[in-house]
Amino acid sequence: MSLIVLVALGLPALLILAAAGFWLLLRSRNMQIWLRSYLARPARPQVPGPVHILFCFVDHFEPMWGRADLETQRRRVDRWCQDYRALAGRHRDADGRHPQHGFFYPEEEYVAEHLDKIASLCADGFGEIEIHLHHDNDNAENFCATMRRFCNTLHERHGALARDPRTGELAFAFIHGNWSLDNSRADGRWCGINNELILLRELGCYADFTLPSAPSDTQTRTVNAIYYATDDPCKPKSHDRGEPVRVGGRAVGDLMIVQGPLALNWRQRRFGLVPRIENADIRRSCPPTPERVDAWVQTGIHVEGRPEWVFVKIHTHGTQEGDMDTLLGPQMDAMHDYLEKAYNDGERYVLHYVTAREVYNIVKAAEAGKQGDPAQWRDFILPPPGHRRGSTST
């Protein structure tokens, strides 16, 4: 119905303009992609016993960010190895474990001395190394060769990555640079491969941890879910939808997608009208406040049929100087204090700090019908990588 007709029928022009403006604001943040799915998603079922919070922190860890010189890179890595050890060492979950940091290291930024230092930190029980990749206008042959080479280097030189006992092959979690998994940008940049999910599966990737990516147009319609995506090798963004992981189900498709919380923050609105996007990103401009922690938990991401196991996956870009005071300072310290106070009373909530690998194992345990304390399934399928086996930390 045209604007003229609507006005003629008595609908105030101001209301029409407001609606049009609201729609334009939504589109400016690409919210039209996922808002309907978000609003239609059913609430997490209530559970009688304690809710187990599986808290996973993944980091697009890029020492060369901003084309930094080697000395700047070293300062960034050294600060993480020193300050994170001190920060995380002050905190423990219900199992007595420190917070676990997922260092998703970019292949194209490989420097052996940086990874030696991070591997040492991980060996002391503070996290695990996984794979990050930025690429553009790539092809399948080059992508596979690059990934195989990097997997072997991480494992052989730095003791990273688990070996799948079922296949004997190296296994890894993945985060795509610039959010562009499976060529998902509308302009086709920062990937170039429409069958990337298939290739990742064949290379040993057990799950992708890229999402959420809002407000980028790479964000999927599926939100707040753990699901299997099936690749259409002729089309991009095959992970836009998928089959939820469920208790009693089985692996289908090509790749498990583990999403972090995506929500609307009505307390902070643009122009007093459009809510801000809560996308589980931690940095100076969006610190980890108690209100945000509550929002992550309330999102209730879980395996269907196991609502008492709630997965909270947050992310950051940890080597940017403007954000490191937040990530390694009092605000992050306070976040862990709040988690351990509000979500670890042993009656309503039980807190577990987990790595990406452990998330995958616990998801697969839920799928297999395992119950009780999820911490017992941290190594359900994939064992710890080599740099963790010698650790004396619990």
Side-chain angles (χ1 to χ4, degrees):
M1 189 177 293
S2 71
L3 179 61
I4 295 175
V5 173
L6 287 172
V7 173
L9 290 175
L11 186 63
L14 183 60
L15 181 60
I16 299 169
L17 292 173
F22 182 74
W23 176 247
L24 289 174
L25 282 172
L26 290 180
R27 290 190 64 88
S28 72
R29 305 291 282 170
N30 292 307
M31 293 172 67
Q32 81 284 353
I33 295 172
W34 55 271
L35 186 59
R36 180 179 297 180
S37 298
Y38 170 75
L39 295 175
R41 189 170 184 268
R44 179 172 58 89
Q46 297 296 313
V47 297
V51 174
H52 292 265
I53 306 300
L54 290 308
F55 190 86
C56 178
F57 198 167
V58 302
D59 189 345
H60 306 210
F61 193 81
E62 303 167 5
M64 293 184 187
W65 177 78
R67 299 181 180 180
D69 59 27
L70 183 57
E71 287 306 312
T72 300
Q73 297 171 39
R74 285 170 173 159
R75 284 196 298 272
R76 291 168 172 175
V77 173
D78 288 346
R79 182 174 180 188
W80 264 95
C81 290
Q82 175 178 320
D83 290 3
Y84 187 74
R85 187 186 299 271
L87 170 68
R90 292 192 290 271
H91 296 279
R92 292 185 182 269
D93 65 7
D95 312 307
R97 296 181 88 227
H98 301 302
Q100 300 294 299
H101 203 75
F103 294 93
F104 282 70
Y105 197 98
E107 180 277 336
E108 71 281 0
E109 296 190 16
Y110 176 72
V111 176
E113 66 175 88
H114 299 341
L115 276 159
D116 283 342
K117 294 171 182 177
I118 297 167
S120 178
L121 179 66
C122 293
D124 288 340
F126 292 100
E128 294 181 6
I129 296 168
E130 299 289 357
I131 294 181
H132 188 32
L133 178 71
H134 301 84
H135 60 154
D136 190 19
N137 194 29
D138 208 349
N139 60 67
E141 182 180 5
N142 181 70
F143 175 73
C144 290
T146 298
M147 292 292 291
R148 288 193 181 101
R149 182 174 60 248
F150 194 44
C151 284
N152 288 332
T153 298
L154 288 177
H155 184 71
E156 294 168 6
R157 168 67 193 263
H158 305 287
L161 307 186
R163 192 174 291 278
D164 191 329
R166 301 165 299 183
T167 65
E169 300 296 324
L170 294 177
F172 62 93
F174 187 69
I175 288 178
H176 200 295
N178 302 305
W179 316 111
S180 303
L181 180 67
D182 201 45
N183 214 20
S184 56
R185 273 178 61 113
D187 63 5
R189 292 296 308 277
W190 308 118
C191 184
I193 305 174
N194 285 338
N195 64 333
E196 194 167 39
L197 305 184
I198 293 173
L199 297 178
L200 283 166
R201 172 178 54 79
E202 293 175 345
L203 288 163
C205 180
Y206 55 80
D208 177 84
F209 286 75
T210 302
L211 296 164
S213 61
S216 167
D217 63 0
T218 60
Q219 174 61 46
T220 56
R221 284 181 287 179
T222 301
V223 297
N224 298 323
I226 302 172
Y227 62 104
Y228 293 111
T230 298
D231 207 340
D232 181 340
C234 297
K235 296 181 180 179
K237 207 177 186 180
S238 296
H239 57 297
D240 200 34
R241 295 193 184 278
E243 185 71 19
V245 182
R246 54 175 54 91
V247 173
R250 61 184 181 86
V252 296
D254 293 298
L255 192 63
M256 181 188 291
I257 308 294
V258 178
Q259 296 186 327
L262 179 60
L264 300 177
N265 182 350
W266 288 97
R267 295 185 178 183
Q268 298 180 18
R269 297 189 293 272
R270 301 180 73 201
F271 310 110
L273 181 64
V274 179
R276 297 279 180 179
I277 296 173
E278 170 54 71
N279 62 4
D281 185 16
I282 305 299
R283 57 183 65 227
R284 180 175 60 181
S285 60
C286 43
T289 62
E291 293 77 17
R292 295 190 71 199
V293 173
D294 292 341
W296 302 334
V297 172
Q298 291 163 11
T299 301
I301 297 174
H302 64 280
V303 172
E304 288 193 1
R306 188 66 70 237
E308 68 272 25
W309 296 0
V310 171
F311 295 85
V312 176
K313 177 182 71 72
I314 63 173
H315 67 273
T316 193
H317 289 73
T319 61
Q320 300 179 18
E321 278 80 4
D323 299 322
M324 278 196 277
D325 286 344
T326 297
L327 296 167
L328 297 169
Q331 289 171 305
M332 189 61 68
D333 204 27
M335 182 201 75
H336 287 297
D337 281 340
Y338 183 71
L339 274 168
E340 291 154 18
K341 178 181 178 181
Y343 294 103
N344 198 34
D345 60 9
E347 296 181 2
R348 296 178 61 236
Y349 296 102
V350 182
L351 175 67
H352 309 278
Y353 292 127
V354 292
T355 66
R357 177 188 59 84
E358 291 168 342
V359 166
Y360 169 76
N361 280 331
I362 294 168
V363 167
K364 294 299 288 185
E367 184 180 56
K370 304 300 183 182
Q371 303 180 49
D373 187 344
Q376 65 185 306
W377 311 115
R378 291 178 186 269
D379 303 326
F380 181 59
I381 292 176
L382 296 176
H387 63 39
R388 291 298 296 268
R389 292 172 190 163
S391 173
T392 59
S393 296
T394 58

